[in-house]
């Protein structure tokens, strides 16, 4: 729907354009116009415009004045400013044209739908010209006959319109053409003027909003002339060393104008000009002698001129010319000072120093210095004189008072003498209250004068630096002053040591010193802090003072900042004279970060961060813990020792039981002197290494006798029958001797079997060749502690020629000797030998042989444990109805298989050189 209305509007707009135009003679005629046409308006003024419609378009287009719309730059003017005069005329009024812009258009609405522009105008806004002010003219001399005149004025405010200026001039009875400015609107030049005739001059200005003119000037052009400066200036030396003569040429005729002059001069390389008094050069001239100059000094001169009566303008300064005055003798003596090395009490090393004279003091070239040294205390001697061309001299003088005189010589003459008194000591009154003050880029030094009359003061200073030596500088000041500026090259941010000495006619006072800065700044770096000692709740910090080159000013204070990793920073101020500080109230076993700032009057700078950790324990805490613990440990050890001492028998019984010493055994009383039937040197000796004896213990229960055949039990019956005859004949080993009473077996007693006695066991043992504790054995024997009589020694298996190598068994034998000689047959002695040679498996029935390993942890004298007994083989051999148990001790042999082994104890081991009770 909106698209359809858009097309309708476009068609109506086209129709209206066709109908609103009339074509006549090829010209397009508008339906209206605006009055005034393109006006020029003053800013801020009132303005009314009229839009008039043509009568020819009214009836055709049905357009009337009430349909007119005014616009400024396509912006609709409010209808409050409209006024409908009649049906063809509409006006619009603007109370202030400052808001008016261009273009201003008159528009209508055709049938109230389409806006059509009727007419438009351009509005120009501006200001009317102001009255020109400050009109002035000057006549410039370009040559001796050319004098153009230039007039300038103030054109006033900017009008925003095309504004035209004219310089008008005339004589009283003659007018001249106007002077139109070319490049600017505030000046204009008239090519030539005539002197000695009055000239009237004024300025006219005009634009679209009006015109104006300046005040009129009337003058003689000779009164406003600016002449050319004198030229060909020359400077010549005069008769006197303080005079220079100038000469020049004027470029204006005296018939036209009489001139006066102005002369200025300055020393070369200086900027300040001096002038000759104007009254000395107020008359026409072409030369002048300048007096009061410094000897042997180069000067620069320049000159200018103007009309003698002072009316008009000064010329420009002429080109500069230089001249040098002649030499004169030095005006003053050099400034002298000394440095005394009094390291030796008898003589001094005096370093004399003097300053070269300034050019205005030297008045020429200094050729040499004459130094005279006179003794002022006896013994007197002729003065020493030295001619040097340097500014220093080193003297070796005795410890006395001397007067030193220095005179400078040039080509003209000698300077006044400079005198320095070198006293024996600085015994005179010193100055007081020395102070410094930076002022106007210089360093001022002040002091309070002593009460005595001071001849002069010597101010001595040097730059303090770690990178260079202190180079001494000094200056002399009159004795009637109490302050002065240092005249050297004083640098900012540098420390100077300043010393003031009062000099008297008969001596000098001691120097008073002070340190000073021309200008201070923040330190170049901050102090580097370290820990000297760290405790549990405190830390001793130390640092080095900043060097004088790093301070850049006076250190007023230090500030220490410290914090934990996650804590707030704490600041502590420290006196600048300190180099150590103790932080207290710290937390133990904590990491701290600390830094330090140094402050001058201009600010501070921080040093690098430093970290440290406080100790976990304070001083003495560890000792308080360790000492009681050590004492308690010692007490416990002492109590343990006392307990062990009181229970030594019990401990000895459990740890190391008493083992009888074989060397003290009474076996020696019944054993034979020569071992019988034992040949240990054969290749099949029983103990090849003499170190170990393999022992097997066999228990044969009497109740199991029926399980064996008569042939198997026949050897045991023999033992049983002989029991009564062998009772009381056991050896002394194990607490029994030959023919002693029966004793219980060791193995039975260890197991706690109290019901079993020696009547139920048979024990055999073999004593090997090795001695006890490296003793040399002399006898080899066998014995039994059982109640059975000892068996005769049995021959070895090879003596009986039995068996092959695989079936050969070592022989068991037992020997009982009651201490009687073998040849004595009257005394009953029992010797039973039984050789056991298992020819077949039946011969081994009823015996159990266990071969003992060489690394058993228990001695043979102790009984085997019950558990070991229960783990033995289940076949038990019984020997009699009386419950006797027979134990056989066998030398190492081939053991039977597990199925064939009878019940027995575990094997026991006898170590090399050891002895085990049986």
């Amino acid at each position: 729907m909106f698209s359809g209305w858009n097309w309708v509007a476009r068609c109506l707009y086209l129709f209206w354009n066709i109908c609103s135009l009339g074509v006549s003679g090829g010209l397009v005629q508008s339906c209206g116009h605006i009055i005034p046409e393109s006006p020029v308006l003053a800013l801020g003024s009132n303005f009314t415009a009229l839009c008039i419609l043509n009568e020819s378009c009214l009836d055709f287009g049905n357009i009337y004045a009430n349909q007119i719309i005014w616009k400024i730059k396509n912006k609709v003017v409010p209808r409050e400013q409209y006024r409908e005069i009649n049906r063809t005329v509409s006006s619009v009024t603007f109370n202030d044209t400052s808001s008016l812009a261009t273009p201003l258009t008159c528009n209508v609405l055709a049938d109230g739908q389409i806006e059509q522009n009727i007419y438009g105008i351009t509005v120009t806004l501006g200001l009317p010209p102001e009255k020109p002010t400050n009109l002035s003219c000057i006549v410039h001399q370009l040559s001796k006959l050319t004098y153009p005149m230039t007039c300038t004025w103030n054109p006033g405010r900017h009008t925003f319109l095309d504004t035209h200026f004219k310089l008008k001039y005339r004589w009283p009875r003659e007018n001249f053409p106007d002077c139109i400015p070319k490049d600017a609107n505030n000046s204009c030049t008239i090519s030539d003027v005539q002197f000695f005739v009055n000239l009237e001059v004024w300025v006219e200005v005009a634009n679209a909003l009006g015109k104006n003119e300046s005040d009129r000037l009337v003058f003689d052009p000779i009164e406003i002339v600016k002449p050319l400066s004198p030229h060909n200036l020359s400077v010549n030396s005069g008769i006197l060393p303080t005079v220079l003569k100038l000469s020049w040429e004027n470029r204006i005729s005296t018939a036209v104008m009489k001139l006066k002059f102005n002369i200025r001069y300055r020393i070369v390389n200086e900027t300040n000009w001096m002038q000759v008094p104007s009254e000395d050069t107020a008359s026409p001239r072409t030369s002048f002698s300048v007096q009061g100059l410094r000897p042997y000094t180069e000067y620069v001169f320049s000159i200018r001129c103007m009309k003698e009566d002072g009316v008009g303008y000064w010329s420009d300064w002429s080109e500069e010319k230089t001249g040098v005055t002649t030499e004169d003798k030095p005006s003053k003596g050099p400034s002298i000072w000394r440095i005394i090395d009094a390291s030796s009490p008898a003589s001094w090393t005096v370093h004399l120093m003097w300053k070269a004279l300034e050019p205005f003091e030297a008045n020429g070239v200094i050729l040499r210095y004459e130094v005279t040294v006179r003794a002022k205390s006896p013994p007197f001697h002729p003065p020493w004189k030295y001619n040097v061309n340097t500014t220093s001299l080193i003297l070796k003088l005795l410890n006395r008072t001397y007067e030193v005189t220095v005179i400078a010589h040039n080509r003209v003459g000698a300077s006044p003498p400079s005198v320095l008194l070198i006293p024996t000591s600085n015994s005179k009154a010193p100055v007081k209250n020395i102070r410094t003050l930076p002022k106007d880029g210089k360093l001022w030094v002040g002091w309070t004068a002593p009460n005595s009359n001071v001849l002069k003061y010597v101010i001595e200073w040097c730059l303090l630096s770690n990178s260079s030596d202190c180079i001494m500088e000094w200056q002399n000041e009159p004795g009637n002053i109490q302050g002065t500026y240092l005249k050297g090259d004083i640098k900012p941010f540098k420390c100077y040591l300043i010393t003031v000495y009062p000099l008297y006619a008969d001596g000098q006072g001691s120097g008073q010193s002070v340190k000073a800065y021309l200008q201070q700044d923040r330190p170049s770096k901050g102090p580097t802090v370290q820990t000297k000692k760290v405790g549990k709740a405190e830390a001793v910090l130390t640092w080095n003072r900043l060097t004088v080159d790093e301070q850049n000013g006076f250190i007023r204070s230090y500030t220490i900042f410290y914090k934990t990793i996650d804590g707030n920073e704490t600041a502590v101020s420290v006196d600048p004279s300190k180099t150590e500080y103790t932080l207290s109230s710290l937390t133990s076993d904590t990491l701290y970060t600390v830094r330090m700032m140094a402050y001058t009057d201009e600010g501070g700078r921080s040093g690098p961060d430093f970290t440290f950790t406080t100790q976990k324990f304070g001083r003495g805490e560890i000792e308080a813990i360790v000492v009681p613990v050590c004492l308690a440990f010692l007490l416990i050890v002492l109590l343990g020792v006392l307990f062990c001492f009181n229970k030594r028998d019990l401990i000895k019984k459990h740890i190391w039981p008493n083992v009888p010493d074989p060397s003290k055994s009474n076996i020696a009383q019944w054993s034979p002197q020569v071992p019988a039937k034992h040949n240990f040197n054969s290749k099949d000796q029983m103990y090849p290494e003499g170190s170990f004896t393999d022992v097997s213990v066999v228990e044969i229960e009497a109740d199991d006798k029926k399980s064996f055949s008569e042939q198997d039990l026949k050897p045991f019956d023999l033992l049983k029958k002989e029991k009564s005859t062998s009772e009381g004949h056991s050896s002394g080993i194990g607490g029994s001797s030959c023919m002693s009473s029966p004793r219980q077996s060791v193995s039975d007693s260890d197991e706690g079997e109290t019901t079993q006695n020696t009547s139920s066991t048979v024990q055999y043992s073999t004593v090997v060749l090795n001695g006890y504790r490296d003793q040399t054995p002399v006898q080899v024997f066998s014995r039994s502690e059982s109640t059975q009589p000892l068996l005769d020694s049995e021959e070895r298996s090879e003596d009986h020629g039995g068996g092959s190598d695989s079936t050969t068994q070592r022989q068991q034998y037992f020997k009982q000797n009651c201490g009687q000689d073998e040849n004595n047959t009257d005394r009953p002695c029992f010797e039973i030998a039984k050789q056991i040679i298992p020819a077949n498996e039946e011969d081994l029935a009823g015996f159990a042989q266990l071969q003992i390993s060489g690394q058993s942890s228990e001695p043979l004298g102790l009984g085997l444990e019950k558990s070991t007994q229960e783990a033995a083989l289940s076949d038990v051999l019984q020997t009699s109805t009386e419950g006797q148990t027979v134990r056989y001790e066998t030398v190492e042999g081939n053991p039977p298989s597990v199925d064939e082994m009878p019940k027995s104890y575990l094997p026991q081991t006898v170590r090399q050189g050891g002895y085990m009770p049986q």
Side-chain angles (χ1 to χ4, degrees):
M1 180 178 68
F2 291 103
S3 178
W5 281 108
N6 188 20
W7 282 105
V8 171
R10 290 176 179 270
C11 293
L12 291 175
Y13 178 77
L14 181 61
F15 176 75
W16 171 256
N17 287 335
I18 295 173
C19 294
S20 63
L21 297 177
V23 179
S24 176
L27 297 175
V28 178
Q29 296 181 354
S30 175
C31 287
H33 63 280
I34 298 175
I35 299 175
E37 181 80 19
S38 299
V40 178
L41 306 176
L43 286 171
S45 63
N46 296 331
F47 171 68
T48 299
L50 299 176
C51 182
I52 302 174
L53 299 176
N54 295 335
E55 291 290 344
S56 61
C57 296
L58 294 180
D59 295 336
F60 181 78
N62 295 324
I63 299 174
Y64 301 96
N66 59 357
Q67 296 175 329
I68 293 175
I69 299 174
W70 292 91
K71 285 187 176 183
I72 301 175
K73 267 190 172 182
N74 296 324
K75 183 178 181 181
V76 177
V77 179
R79 285 192 172 273
E80 291 80 7
Q81 298 176 225
Y82 296 179
R83 181 185 176 192
E84 185 181 352
I85 299 177
N86 53 40
R87 68 171 190 163
T88 61
V89 179
S90 175
S91 66
V92 63
T93 302
F94 299 93
N95 295 326
D96 187 358
T97 56
S98 300
S99 60
L100 187 60
T102 190
L104 175 63
T105 60
C106 176
N107 308 274
V108 295
L109 285 176
D111 294 331
Q113 296 296 330
I114 300 177
E115 181 180 308
Q116 178 63 42
N117 177 260
I118 300 297
Y119 202 79
I121 61 173
T122 300
V123 179
T124 303
L125 300 177
L127 294 172
E130 288 185 327
K131 176 182 177 180
T133 58
N134 298 330
L135 176 62
S136 63
C137 298
I138 182 172
V139 177
H140 293 277
Q141 181 189 7
L142 299 181
S143 66
K144 283 189 175 183
L145 301 176
T146 305
Y147 297 91
M149 183 180 71
T150 300
C151 296
T152 59
W153 60 88
N154 183 5
R157 66 189 178 186
H158 184 49
T159 62
F160 304 102
L161 301 173
D162 290 336
T163 303
H164 304 283
F165 292 86
K166 295 179 181 179
L167 177 61
K168 303 179 76 68
Y169 64 101
R170 64 172 183 158
W171 285 344
R173 296 183 180 182
E174 184 180 353
N175 294 325
F176 296 100
D178 297 339
C179 181
I180 306 301
K182 295 180 180 180
D183 299 331
N185 59 1
N186 62 342
S187 67
C188 191
T189 300
I190 300 171
S191 62
D192 197 7
V193 293
Q194 297 294 324
F195 295 147
F196 310 114
V197 178
N198 289 335
L199 187 67
E200 184 180 6
V201 180
W202 73 95
V203 177
E204 285 186 357
V205 57
N207 62 14
L209 295 179
K211 64 180 182 178
N212 213 330
E213 68 177 27
S214 67
D215 295 334
R216 300 192 178 196
L217 297 179
V218 178
F219 54 84
D220 184 354
I222 195 64
E223 298 175 352
I224 58 171
V225 174
K226 180 180 180 181
L228 290 172
S229 60
H231 69 120
N232 295 331
L233 177 64
S234 62
V235 181
N236 299 310
S237 299
I239 301 176
L240 299 176
T242 60
V243 176
L244 287 175
K245 184 179 181 180
L246 281 67
S247 60
W248 63 88
E249 294 179 3
N250 295 319
R251 288 189 286 184
I252 189 170
S253 174
T254 56
V256 176
M257 182 186 299
K258 293 183 178 181
L259 302 174
K260 67 176 182 178
F261 302 91
N262 193 350
I263 299 174
R264 66 177 184 177
Y265 61 96
R266 63 179 175 85
I267 299 175
V268 174
N269 298 327
E270 292 187 3
T271 58
N272 297 327
W273 288 92
M274 295 168 284
Q275 290 189 359
V276 175
S278 58
E279 58 271 15
D280 295 343
T281 57
S283 59
R285 64 183 63 230
T286 58
S287 63
F288 185 81
S289 294
V290 181
Q291 302 178 7
L293 303 178
R294 296 176 181 175
Y296 201 67
T297 304
E298 185 177 10
Y299 287 90
V300 178
F301 294 90
S302 182
I303 189 172
R304 66 179 179 175
C305 63
M306 73 174 299
K307 194 171 181 290
E308 184 181 14
D309 56 4
V311 177
Y313 298 93
W314 284 101
S315 68
D316 294 332
W317 290 101
S318 68
E319 60 180 349
E320 297 178 352
K321 292 293 183 178
T322 60
V324 180
T325 56
T326 58
E327 285 190 70
D328 194 6
K329 64 180 181 180
S331 59
K332 61 174 293 186
S335 176
I336 186 173
W337 190 235
R338 83 291 179 277
I339 297 176
I340 300 176
D341 182 7
S343 57
S344 176
S347 63
W348 294 341
T349 300
V350 179
H351 185 191
L352 292 177
M353 303 175 295
W354 56 89
K355 293 183 177 181
L357 296 174
E358 297 291 339
F360 63 91
E361 298 172 339
N363 296 334
V365 178
I366 300 299
L367 301 178
R368 61 185 178 87
Y369 296 95
E370 180 182 346
V371 181
T372 303
V373 180
R374 295 183 177 87
K376 300 293 290 184
S377 59
F380 298 101
H381 55 78
W384 298 300
K385 291 187 177 183
Y386 306 90
N387 289 320
V388 296
N389 53 11
T390 61
T391 57
S392 64
L393 179 64
I394 297 177
L395 300 175
K396 293 287 187 178
L397 301 176
L398 298 177
N399 188 359
R400 297 163 58 187
T401 301
Y402 295 90
E403 180 185 79
V404 178
T405 302
V406 179
I407 300 174
H409 293 265
N410 63 9
R411 284 190 289 260
V412 177
S415 69
S418 295
V419 180
L420 176 66
L421 187 66
I422 303 178
T424 305
S425 62
N426 299 331
S427 59
K428 300 297 181 180
V431 298
K432 302 177 182 177
N433 192 25
I434 184 172
R435 57 201 179 275
T436 60
L437 177 66
K439 187 176 181 181
D440 300 331
K442 298 180 180 180
L443 190 58
W444 181 84
V445 182
W447 60 87
T448 300
N451 297 328
S452 305
N453 293 327
V454 178
L455 183 63
K456 64 179 179 179
Y457 295 98
V458 175
I459 303 173
E460 178 185 277
W461 74 90
C462 70
L463 173 64
L464 298 179
S465 176
N466 298 100
S467 59
S468 61
D469 296 333
C470 185
I471 300 176
M472 193 67 64
E473 296 186 49
W474 76 96
Q475 66 187 54
N476 295 332
E477 297 296 335
N480 58 351
I481 67 171
Q482 298 185 21
T484 186
Y485 288 100
L486 297 184
K487 298 176 182 178
D489 182 18
I490 307 300
K491 300 178 181 179
F493 317 136
K494 299 297 182 180
C495 183
Y496 290 88
L497 179 64
I498 304 171
T499 307
V500 178
Y501 295 90
L503 301 185
Y504 301 90
D506 55 348
Q508 75 176 38
S510 60
Q512 299 296 312
S513 301
V514 67
K515 293 181 180 180
Y517 285 87
L518 176 62
Q519 183 181 349
Q520 298 189 54
D521 194 8
R522 295 192 309 159
S524 301
K525 59 178 290 187
T528 300
V529 64
Q530 295 179 341
T531 54
K532 181 179 179 181
K533 181 181 179 182
V534 179
K536 177 181 179 181
E538 69 282 336
V540 180
L541 304 180
T542 182
W543 60 91
N544 294 325
R545 288 188 175 91
L546 297 178
T547 63
V548 67
D549 294 328
E550 297 170 342
Q551 292 179 7
N552 296 334
F554 294 110
I555 301 299
R556 302 301 184 186
S557 66
Y558 292 115
T559 301
I560 298 175
F561 299 90
Y562 64 97
K563 65 176 181 178
T564 58
I565 296 178
D566 54 354
N568 296 327
E569 192 171 57
T570 303
V572 179
S573 296
V574 183
D575 188 87
S577 62
K578 304 290 185 180
T579 58
E580 185 177 299
Y581 185 80
T582 301
L583 297 179
S584 58
S585 301
L586 303 179
T587 305
S588 62
D589 195 21
T590 303
L591 179 66
Y592 281 88
T593 300
V594 61
R595 61 186 177 90
M596 192 171 185
M597 290 188 69
Y599 291 90
T600 63
D601 294 335
E602 298 298 324
R605 193 177 298 274
S606 177
D609 291 346
F610 179 79
T611 58
F612 66 91
T613 302
T614 54
Q615 296 182 0
K616 189 173 183 179
F617 299 99
R619 183 178 181 181
E621 290 186 2
I622 297 178
E623 292 82 351
I625 296 173
V626 172
V627 171
V629 170
C630 294
L631 293 177
F633 178 75
L634 293 177
L635 181 60
I636 292 173
V637 171
L638 181 60
L639 293 176
V641 171
L642 293 177
F643 176 79
C644 293
F645 183 78
N646 292 332
K647 300 295 183 179
R648 60 185 180 279
D649 295 336
L650 180 62
I651 295 173
K652 182 177 181 181
K653 178 179 179 181
H654 286 83
I655 297 178
W656 57 89
N658 288 328
V659 178
D661 188 353
S663 64
K664 298 180 181 180
S665 174
N666 55 10
I667 190 173
Q669 298 180 10
W670 56 267
S671 60
Q673 296 297 325
V674 179
K677 299 180 181 181
H678 291 277
N679 185 10
F680 290 95
N681 295 324
S682 65
K683 63 179 180 179
D684 296 327
Q685 60 179 337
M686 184 181 298
Y687 311 108
E689 297 178 357
S691 300
F692 296 96
T693 300
D694 295 335
V695 178
S696 296
V697 178
V698 181
E699 291 187 357
I700 304 176
E701 299 294 339
D703 296 337
D704 294 337
K705 183 178 179 181
K706 60 183 180 179
S707 61
F708 298 92
S709 63
E710 293 179 358
Q711 185 179 358
D712 295 332
L713 296 177
K714 187 175 181 180
F716 295 99
D717 292 337
L718 179 60
L719 294 175
K720 182 177 179 183
K721 292 177 182 180
E722 294 176 352
K723 174 180 180 182
S724 59
T725 60
S726 63
E727 193 172 9
H729 293 272
S730 63
S731 69
I733 301 177
S736 65
S737 61
C738 188
M739 306 300 294
S740 63
S741 62
R743 58 176 294 183
Q744 188 176 359
S745 67
V746 177
S747 61
D748 292 340
S749 63
D750 289 343
E751 297 296 331
E753 298 177 2
T754 59
T755 59
Q756 185 177 354
N757 52 30
T758 56
S759 63
S760 63
T761 62
V762 178
Q763 298 182 354
Y764 298 94
S765 65
T766 300
V767 180
V768 298
L769 180 62
N770 296 53
Y772 176 72
R773 295 184 179 178
D774 298 333
Q775 297 177 6
T776 303
V778 295
Q779 299 176 0
V780 178
F781 55 87
S782 300
R783 72 179 185 84
S784 171
E785 292 186 10
S786 68
T787 58
Q788 298 293 332
L790 296 177
L791 302 178
D792 293 333
S793 296
E794 294 181 344
E795 298 295 335
R796 296 188 180 183
S797 59
E798 63 266 21
D799 296 339
H800 297 276
S804 62
D805 295 339
S806 61
T807 59
T808 302
Q809 301 289 334
R810 291 187 178 182
Q811 301 182 10
Q812 299 178 347
Y813 63 91
F814 303 90
K815 182 177 182 179
Q816 177 70 33
N817 194 330
C818 295
Q820 302 294 331
D821 189 80
E822 292 181 355
N823 298 324
N824 189 2
T825 59
D826 296 337
R827 189 172 177 174
C829 228
F830 300 92
E831 189 171 288
I832 304 173
K834 180 69 175 177
Q835 183 176 11
I836 303 174
I837 303 176
N840 50 50
E841 295 180 358
E842 295 179 355
D843 296 336
L844 295 177
F847 294 93
Q849 295 180 353
L850 299 177
Q851 191 173 15
I852 301 175
S853 65
Q855 300 296 329
S856 175
S857 62
E858 293 183 10
L860 283 173
L862 298 178
L864 299 176
E865 293 184 357
K866 193 172 186 178
S867 60
T868 306
Q869 297 176 13
E870 293 175 355
L873 298 175
S874 61
D875 296 335
V876 179
L877 299 177
Q878 297 181 354
T879 59
S880 67
T881 60
E882 296 177 357
Q884 292 181 343
T885 301
V886 180
R887 299 185 182 179
Y888 281 94
E889 216 169 54
T890 64
V891 182
E892 180 180 3
N894 295 326
S897 64
V898 176
D899 296 335
E900 297 174 352
M901 291 178 65
K903 179 179 179 182
S904 67
Y905 291 106
L906 290 176
Q908 306 282 326
T909 300
V910 179
R911 296 181 180 272
Q912 178 179 359
Y915 173 79
M916 290 296 179
Q918 303 295 321

